[in-house]
Amino acid sequence: MALVEITPQKYDVEIDIVYATDRNFTGAPIYSRPACYLHRDAADCLKKAVAMARRHGKRIRILDAFRPQEAQRALWNHTPNPDFIANPDIGSPHGRGVAIDLTLLDENGKELDMGAGFDEMHIRSYHGADGLSKDAEANRLLLLGIMVSAGFEYYDHEWWHYQLPNARSKYPLFSDSSLPQSMMK
């Protein structure tokens, strides 16, 4: 199988799959199970990112990774905003297992200030947004440097979203049925 499970033990990350909770922009869980999967290629890049973050005294917290097509449709149906949600008819890099939403933690396990919350659909979430504090801007630049150096590319509207290059042309879409155990209701 092209998708591999990402666990804290294997990848030295913290996992908080927000779409398995009501702490997401829909206000309701999208996944029934908080699992974290990535395509093998993205998982290899994640290992590099984790090592680089560690060298800077930081850890990675994953907020979302592989997103079944069924979940993408639910998000789009709730908020069809193409600046922040990929149209499920086209498919998302998340649905291919090559996108990851994440943030950085300090040595005490506290999230670094990024100047905007995860999934905050506002221009302050854009890379290079004006009006951020020096700390938030520095934290975003650190995350950007780590992720790009590890082989990911960024999406300019979301400081938290990184994906492998050529995602839509190189990787197939996966549905919930592709998983050994369902993430959906």
Side-chain angles (χ1 to χ4, degrees):
M1 180 168 140
L3 298 175
V4 295
E5 188 167 10
I6 307 301
T7 64
Q9 299 79 16
K10 280 186 183 176
Y11 288 84
D12 191 26
V13 293
E14 187 173 303
I15 297 176
D16 179 16
I17 303 299
V18 175
Y19 294 126
T21 73
D22 62 0
R23 295 180 288 113
N24 67 72
F25 69 90
T26 70
I30 300 297
Y31 307 146
S32 63
R33 186 173 73 89
C36 184
Y37 293 90
L38 285 173
H39 188 281
R40 270 185 249 109
D41 295 349
D44 289 344
C45 291
L46 175 63
K47 285 180 183 177
K48 293 175 190 171
V50 167
M52 279 186 261
R54 277 288 187 203
R55 288 195 295 272
H56 290 274
K58 307 295 186 255
R59 292 195 67 223
I60 288 176
R61 176 179 285 159
I62 300 173
L63 305 169
D64 196 28
F66 167 67
R67 182 182 303 151
Q69 276 297 94
E70 298 87 343
Q72 191 67 35
R73 173 109 12 232
L75 295 174
W76 178 260
N77 288 345
H78 184 277
T79 307
N81 180 343
D83 286 339
F84 291 95
I85 308 292
N87 182 330
D89 294 335
I90 298 167
S92 162
H94 282 286
R96 292 167 162 79
V98 297
I100 188 167
D101 295 338
L102 71 167
T103 191
L104 291 173
L105 305 174
D106 69 14
E107 61 278 352
N108 298 313
K110 183 179 180 224
E111 283 190 15
L112 299 185
D113 175 16
M114 296 293 183
F118 168 67
D119 264 359
E120 189 173 328
M121 296 181 196
H122 190 276
I123 58 171
R124 72 180 146 262
S125 295
Y126 291 18
H127 284 276
D130 290 332
L132 298 178
S133 71
K134 281 185 177 183
D135 285 344
E137 189 169 54
N139 293 336
R140 285 189 189 189
L141 289 171
L142 177 60
L143 180 60
L144 177 68
I146 288 169
M147 296 304 288
V148 170
S149 295
F152 290 93
E153 64 183 14
Y154 67 97
Y155 175 59
D156 65 343
H157 285 60
E158 300 174 347
W159 63 260
W160 57 85
H161 176 98
Y162 291 87
Q163 63 192 37
L164 294 185
N166 305 311
R168 286 189 171 92
S169 63
K170 191 172 176 183
Y171 298 95
L173 286 167
F174 295 100
S175 68
D176 191 55
S177 63
S178 303
L179 298 173
Q181 183 181 355
S182 174
M183 288 175 61
M184 301 300 295
K185 297 177 182 179

